[in-house]
Each structure stands twice: as structure tokens, then as C-alpha cells.
Amino acid sequence: MQYKTINIATMLLLLFVSAIASASSRDVEDEDRMLNAKCIGCHYNVTPGIVKQHLDSPMANAHNQEDEVVCHDCHGEGHTTNTDYSKAEMPTADVCGECHKKQFKQYRSGKHNLAWMAQKTQIAWHNQPKSIVGQGYRGCSGCHKLGKKGLLGVSQGNMDAELKYDGGKEESEYRYGNAQCDACHTRHTFRKDEANDPRACSNCHMGFDHPQWEMFTSSKHGVIWGIENQGGDTDGRAPTCQTCHMVDGNHNVSTPWGFLGLRIPTKDNVLALIDVAPSLKEPLTKLAALLPTGHFDDLDDNPQWTFDRAIILQAAGILDASLQPTKRFVEIVVQGRAARGPDEFNKLRRDMKKTCNECHSNQYVNDFFKASDDTIQQADHRFAQAIQAVQGLYRDGILQKPEGWEYAPDLLQYYDAKTNIEQELYLIMLEYRQRTFQGAFHASNDYMHWYGWAPLNTAVNNILEEAGQLRAEHEAKNSH
Ligand code: HEC
Ligand code: HEC
Ligand code: HEC
Ligand code: HEC
Ligand code: HEC
Ligand code: HEC
Ligand code: HEC
Ligand code: HEC
């Protein structure tokens, strides 16, 4: 669809003329038009770019003229002069939702809606300057503002499985950045074709711990997308982010493995561990009682993998020293939905395969997923070895738990970790392991291997060596 550029002077003239011409019959609509003409008339000088973008937008050129969206539909009627602009309202996603119920509902039930809450579950988040994690939007908060503010989890004293809402308190503390929907449909054109272009995802899904943009553009899918200038065309030869993650325009985004490549173990997974580690029978039985039943369709559930995953969860403070779920388990896994149980995992996986099957055979796709799942298993095993080495240093008093830390090692301290060896551990968690499996799933061989698996192994080997050295130094010191 093409929208013609509207001559602003003509537009204004038309608005005034039509307002005066039909003054008696349609009062409400006319008041609307008058007010809109006022906003536009003044903002034509104050913020000409915004006026132009708005007038060119699909919403200002609605198919049915009576549906035309005007400035004060989103900003309210409180501000009309050069000085009272602090009375202009800034829309939240709920304002968009009044007219776009379907997308709004899907969005609310998906992962994007949880993005604001998710950043707060991280221990490191609490130690950073507000400009980075709060009002300034210059770091974590800049990307995570596409989540809804005011969702209350364990950190705010809510121990229920469901998040609670503060009724708008947190949103009211932020003048800007509550609109959520403008992450992909940027203001003031709010276009569908912009959001359908994979570049619309790239400002957030890039870089250190989630380079999906780089992985996509270095996969054959992305290469074809580039060569064929596909842009936001969803019927092209190459699948885009949206083809795979927003099927039929569904605004509820969620993947089986999620950001961290984790999943909730089943009862059977955990009970099977008892055969391998009989001494842990009691805590494992206790843990199993809390877990879902079922089976992960595609996955190899050998006890070694369950064990490796338990070690990782322990190092993230999600399971405690005796393998029981902590408050972080409730906040990150249950409320923040960072990992899925078998039912949800299997359904999401089936849907994803169906999408691949539009262009590839069943067999081809099954092979692909089997190999990609396996990369997580392999990475987890090496990661767990490194974690155990560091856990051993704490257990034997070679490293001391830093003041104020609840767990040590603690992966969620990120770059605030106090020792070199734990800095390496953090890089494995957020950079190398992520790239290993995310690269595999996005068919980017270079990311999977040279930016993922290779440095992961280097880091594990370094950690094992350094742990040995720290031990030797400790013993040498103690023998004097
Ligand atoms: C007489 C001029 C005038 C009129 C009429 C006017 N505005 Fe403004 N508006 C301004 C000025 C001046 C600013 C401040 C611009 C700045 O900070 O650079 C502003 C700012 C804004 C802001 C941004 C506020 C912020 O905190 O960033 C919004 C939104 C806005 N106007 C919407 C509207 C809407 C909607 C209408 C009509 C209902 C309207 N304006 C009518 C002059 C006007
Ligand atoms: C008062 C009702 C109303 C509000 C509020 C509203 N919209 Fe719309 N929107 C519409 C209508 C009507 C259309 C269809 C225009 C047409 O006929 O093409 C539309 C179309 C759209 C489209 C599709 C544009 C395209 O390229 O075809 C997007 C995207 C969109 N709106 C996003 C938003 C966002 C984001 C917000 C909140 C910031 C919002 N809308 C608020 C009424 C509204
Ligand atoms: C460049 C944008 C960007 C920045 C900066 C950023 N994030 Fe994220 N974050 C993302 C994206 C995109 C995802 C989803 C990635 C994925 O699923 O692979 C994400 C995912 C997460 C998740 C996982 C949520 C879940 O349920 O799986 C957490 C937690 C998180 N980020 C916390 C933070 C914290 C804390 C900071 C700052 C220290 C931060 N992020 C900085 C973009 C960003
Ligand atoms: C469909 C809803 C919608 C319409 C219509 C709309 N805006 Fe906005 N506007 C927004 C959103 C969303 C933001 C971003 C708010 C935030 O960051 O919290 C915004 C922000 C602004 C800002 C401040 C941010 C900036 O970039 O400077 C100004 C000024 C503004 N709008 C003016 C206008 C004017 C003038 C019109 C009419 C010509 C208009 N808006 C029409 C949704 C809308
Ligand atoms: C993650 C990016 C993203 C965010 C955030 C997002 N959208 Fe969309 N939106 C899309 C994509 C992609 C499409 C195109 C879907 C299609 O082609 O069917 C779309 C399409 C739309 C359409 C047009 C539907 C149609 O069939 O014409 C509307 C309306 C819309 N979105 C509203 C919203 C609202 C309201 C929000 C906030 C609750 C929102 N979007 C947030 C990506 C996004
Ligand atoms: C050919 C389909 C396809 C394309 C294109 C695609 N993805 Fe993915 N994406 C996947 C698959 C498959 C997974 C892993 C699913 C699972 O967990 O089983 C995934 C996982 C993800 C995840 C979760 C973390 C991870 O990386 O494993 C995010 C976030 C994501 N993709 C975003 C994107 C973005 C953004 C783009 C575009 C730059 C994109 N994807 C392009 C298929 C695709
Ligand atoms: C403003 C930044 C931003 C933009 C733009 C954005 N995302 Fe996200 N995305 C995030 C963050 C942050 C998360 C993590 C939210 C959480 O899990 O709590 C996320 C999560 C996801 C997930 C869920 C991964 C999981 O854990 O299962 C998918 C899939 C995804 N995004 C796809 C997309 C696609 C496709 C687009 C573009 C159409 C897009 N995103 C645009 C920031 C963004
Ligand atoms: C819209 C069509 C389409 C969809 C959907 C699609 N692909 Fe592809 N895929 C292609 C095309 C075209 C190629 C390049 C030609 C070829 O190698 O078959 C390709 C190539 C590949 C390759 C080979 C890459 C290489 O480097 O050799 C893999 C692996 C792959 N796709 C996996 C997937 C998976 C997994 C999914 C679903 C998550 C998927 N594709 C979804 C069209 C698609």
C-alpha cells in the first residue's frame, strides 16, 4: 500500500473548511476536527517532523474516514497552548489496545510483555546506575521498555505464581517509554510493513548475549533475504524473524528453549537421577514432588544432562545447595516464564516445525532440531564442569563468599563478579553458551562454532587450569 504525501497546508485548509461547513449537524466530530487542526497547526512549527509522519501514516489516512486517528486520541485534550505541554498525556499500550484488541491481547500474553519485569529479576540489575536500568533508557531499560511496567514479582513481596499489577504506579513515574507497541511500529507512522521487516527487531536482538540479527544475516535464510531485497515482504523465498516467530501476525512471541536454553525438569527426569546419585535420594524426591509430569518430545533425557542442568541452576541461585527451588526459581522461572515445562515446550516446538515444513521436509527439519538440541547438551556438560571447579574453590575455603552475596558462585552477578575465574564463568553463561545454541538454531555456523562453542571450550579449559593454580597457591600458603 502506498500513502501519498499530503501537502500540509492543503490538509489544514481542508480541516478548517470541513469543520466550519458542517458546524451544526455533527458537533462532536467537528469539535474533534477543530482540536486536531489546532494541534497540527501549532505542531507544524513546534515539531514538523512528527506532524508529517502522522499525516503520512495509515492511521491518519484510515480507509473509513470516520476511523481517522488524531493527535488527541493518543495524547488527550489537556494540553492546547505553548506552555501547558506537561499536560499532554503519553499513551501506554492500553491506549493502542482500545482500538487493536486482538494484537493487544496476544501481546499481553507473550514474552515481550514481561521484558521490564525480567530485567529486574537479575541480581546485577540492582547495582547499576538508574540511567542504565531506569529512567534514562540508556542500557538494559532502553531495550526492556517494551515490557509492561508495574508487574510485581517476588522482589516486591509477591510469592504467588501469577504476577500482580501495581495499578499504574510505576508507569506514572516515567514520563516516556510506556507505549510498548512502538518498539516495532515506531511513531508516528506506526506501520505494519516496517514491523514486518527483520531489521525492526535488530536494534534489540543483536550483540553480546542474543545476536539473532547477526546470526540471521549470516545464515543462508538471511543472505537470501538480503540478495532478494525482501524487506518486510513475508511471502518471499526466505523466512524472516516474523515468519518463524510471529506466525499469522501473532503478537504472542515465545520459543521452546527461550533466551537461556533452559527448561523445567520433569518429575521423571529428577527421579532418574537417584539411580546415578543414590546419596541425593531425599532432596531429589522432595524436588521431584514439585515438578510437572510429562516428557519432552525431541530431547535426549539422560541423567547426566539433568545433573548438568541442576548444577547450572544451582550456580544461578535458582536451586539452593540442597537442590531445592529458591525465591529466584519462583520469580525467574515461574513468574518471569524464563523456562518451559514439557507441555508448552512440545506445543511451541510442533508449531515451529510446521513453519519450517512449508519449505523443508519433515526429515530435514527433524535432523536440524536434533543436532541443535544436542549443542545445548554438549555445552551444558562443559559449563557444568567449569561451575563445579569454582564451587569446589568456595567449598574448600579457597574463595570466600563476598559480602552481601546470597550464593557463591552466583552467575546472576554478571560482570560484578569479584574474581577472574568467575568473570570467565559469566562469559560462558551469557556470551559463549548463548551463541552456541542460538547460532545452531538460526543456522549460523560461524556463530555456533567460532563465536560460541570454540571460546566456550577455551574458557572452560582456562577455568579448570586456574582452579588448579588457585588450589596449589592455597595449599602452598597453608603449608608455611
Ligand atoms: C499553541 C501551540 C500548541 C498547540 C495548540 C499544541 N501544542 Fe503540543 N506542544 C507545544 C509545545 C511548545 C510543546 C513543547 C515542545 C518541546 O518541548 O520542544 C508541545 C509538546 C507536546 C507534546 C510532547 C510533550 C512532552 O512532554 O514531550 C505532545 C505529546 C503534544 N504537544 C501534543 C499536542 C496535542 C495532542 C495537541 C492538541 C490537542 C497539542 N499538542 C497542541 C505547542 C502546542
Ligand atoms: C482511536 C483508535 C486507534 C488508536 C487509539 C490506535 N489505533 Fe492503530 N489503527 C486504527 C485504525 C482505524 C487503523 C486502520 C487504518 C486503515 O484503515 O488502514 C489502525 C491501523 C494501525 C496499524 C496498521 C498500519 C498499517 O501499516 O496498515 C498499526 C500497526 C497500528 N494501527 C498501531 C497502533 C499503535 C501502536 C497504537 C498506539 C500507539 C495505535 N495503533 C492506536 C485505530 C487506532
Ligand atoms: C540491546 C538490547 C538489550 C539490552 C541492553 C539488555 N537486554 Fe536483556 N534482553 C534483550 C533481548 C532482545 C532479550 C531476549 C533475547 C532472547 O530471548 O534470546 C533479552 C532477554 C533478557 C532476559 C531473559 C528473559 C527471559 O525470560 O528469558 C533477562 C533476564 C534480561 N534480558 C536482563 C537484562 C539486564 C539485567 C540487562 C542489563 C544489565 C539487559 N537485559 C540488557 C535485549 C537487551
Ligand atoms: C496512535 C497514537 C499517537 C498519535 C495519533 C500521535 N501520537 Fe504522539 N506519541 C505517541 C507515542 C506512543 C509516543 C511516545 C510516548 C513515549 O515515549 O512514552 C508519542 C510521543 C509524542 C511526542 C514526544 C516524543 C517525541 O518524539 O518528541 C510528541 C511531541 C508527540 N507525540 C506529538 C504528537 C502530535 C503533534 C500528534 C499529531 C500530529 C501525535 N503526537 C499523534 C503516540 C501517538
Ligand atoms: C515485536 C514487534 C511488534 C510489536 C512490539 C508490536 N507489533 Fe504489531 N505487528 C508486528 C508485525 C510483524 C505485524 C505484521 C503482521 C502481519 O503481517 O500480519 C504487526 C501488525 C500489527 C497490526 C496490523 C494488523 C493487520 O492485520 O493489519 C496492528 C493493528 C498492530 N500490529 C498493533 C500492535 C499493537 C497494538 C501493539 C502493542 C500491543 C503491537 N502491534 C506491538 C510486530 C509488532
Ligand atoms: C527459519 C526460522 C527462524 C528465523 C528466520 C529466525 N528464527 Fe529465531 N528461532 C528459530 C528457532 C528454531 C529457534 C529455537 C526454537 C527452540 O527453542 O526450540 C529460535 C529462537 C529464537 C529466540 C530465543 C533464543 C534463541 O536464539 O534461541 C529468539 C529471541 C529469536 N529466535 C529471535 C529471532 C530474531 C530476532 C530473528 C531475526 C533477526 C530470528 N529469530 C530469525 C527460528 C528462526
Ligand atoms: C525494544 C527491543 C525489542 C525489539 C524491537 C524486539 N524484541 Fe523480542 N525481545 C526483547 C526482549 C527484552 C525480550 C525478552 C523478554 C522476556 O523474555 O522477558 C524479547 C523476547 C523475544 C522472544 C522470546 C524468546 C523466548 O524467551 O522465548 C522472541 C521470539 C522475540 N523477542 C522475537 C522478536 C521479533 C521477531 C522481533 C521483531 C519483529 C522482536 N522480538 C523485536 C526485545 C525486543
Ligand atoms: C519460506 C521458506 C523457508 C522456511 C519457512 C524455512 N526455510 Fe530454511 N531455507 C529456505 C531456503 C530458500 C534455503 C536455501 C536453499 C536451501 O538450502 O534449501 C533454506 C536453507 C536452510 C538450511 C540450509 C542452510 C545452509 O547453510 O546450508 C537449513 C539448515 C534450514 N533452511 C533450516 C530451516 C529451519 C530449521 C526452518 C524452520 C525453523 C526453516 N529452514 C524454515 C527456505 C525456508
Side-chain angles (χ1 to χ4, degrees), residues 205 212 221 240-241 244-245 255-258 349 437-438 441-442:
H205 287 274
Q212 282 98 11
H221 292 144
T240 61
C241 318
C244 295
H245 294 298
T255 63
W257 278 109
R349 177 55 71 81
F437 77 87
Q438 296 178 349
F441 280 122
H442 289 96

Side-chain angles (χ1 to χ4, degrees), residues 266-269 292-296 342-343 346:
T266 64
K267 242 184 220 0
D268 287 347
N269 289 165
T293 53
H295 174 70
F296 290 95
D343 292 348
N346 294 341

Side-chain angles (χ1 to χ4, degrees), residues 294-459:
H295 174 70
F296 290 95
D297 283 350
D298 287 345
L299 303 178
D300 172 6
D301 263 324
N302 71 54
Q304 181 67 53
W305 196 2
T306 308
F307 177 76
D308 292 337
R309 285 154 56 212
I311 296 291
I312 295 171
L313 294 178
Q314 209 172 44
I318 289 173
L319 296 179
D320 67 16
S322 51
L323 296 175
Q324 301 311 300
T326 64
K327 284 180 182 172
R328 289 189 194 174
F329 182 94
V330 179
E331 185 157 47
I332 298 172
V333 177
V334 181
Q335 295 173 331
R337 287 163 41 203
R340 284 159 251 316
D343 292 348
E344 197 184 358
F345 185 101
N346 294 341
K347 185 188 178 303
L348 290 169
R349 177 55 71 81
R350 275 195 301 273
D351 290 348
M352 178 66 84
K353 284 183 173 175
K354 221 186 279 163
T355 304
C356 313
N357 287 151
E358 281 171 29
C359 302
H360 300 292
S361 75
N362 268 320
Q363 197 52 42
Y364 188 82
V365 169
N366 285 337
D367 263 24
F368 173 91
F369 277 104
K370 199 169 165 21
S372 301
D373 291 337
D374 185 58
T375 65
I376 302 185
Q377 185 172 355
Q378 302 301 332
D380 284 354
H381 188 52
R382 297 255 46 211
F383 189 22
Q385 286 175 323
I387 290 170
Q388 284 175 287
V390 179
Q391 283 175 332
L393 297 176
Y394 277 106
R395 196 177 45 237
D396 299 337
I398 299 165
L399 294 180
Q400 306 300 328
K401 185 153 98 178
E403 218 182 283
W405 284 31
E406 200 174 355
Y407 308 100
D410 185 351
L411 295 172
L412 301 195
Q413 298 281 354
Y414 294 5
Y415 39 76
D416 289 338
K418 305 290 181 229
T419 60
N420 271 331
I421 197 165
E422 286 161 284
Q423 288 287 344
E424 288 265 27
L425 216 49
Y426 147 73
L427 290 178
I428 297 179
M429 170 184 73
L430 267 193
E431 186 176 10
Y432 312 140
R433 179 176 169 281
Q434 297 291 87
R435 290 172 179 210
T436 301
F437 77 87
Q438 296 178 349
F441 280 122
H442 289 96
S444 172
N445 304 319
D446 202 49
Y447 266 85
M448 185 281 150
H449 191 265
W450 292 116
Y451 292 119
W453 179 245
L456 182 149
N457 277 282
T458 302

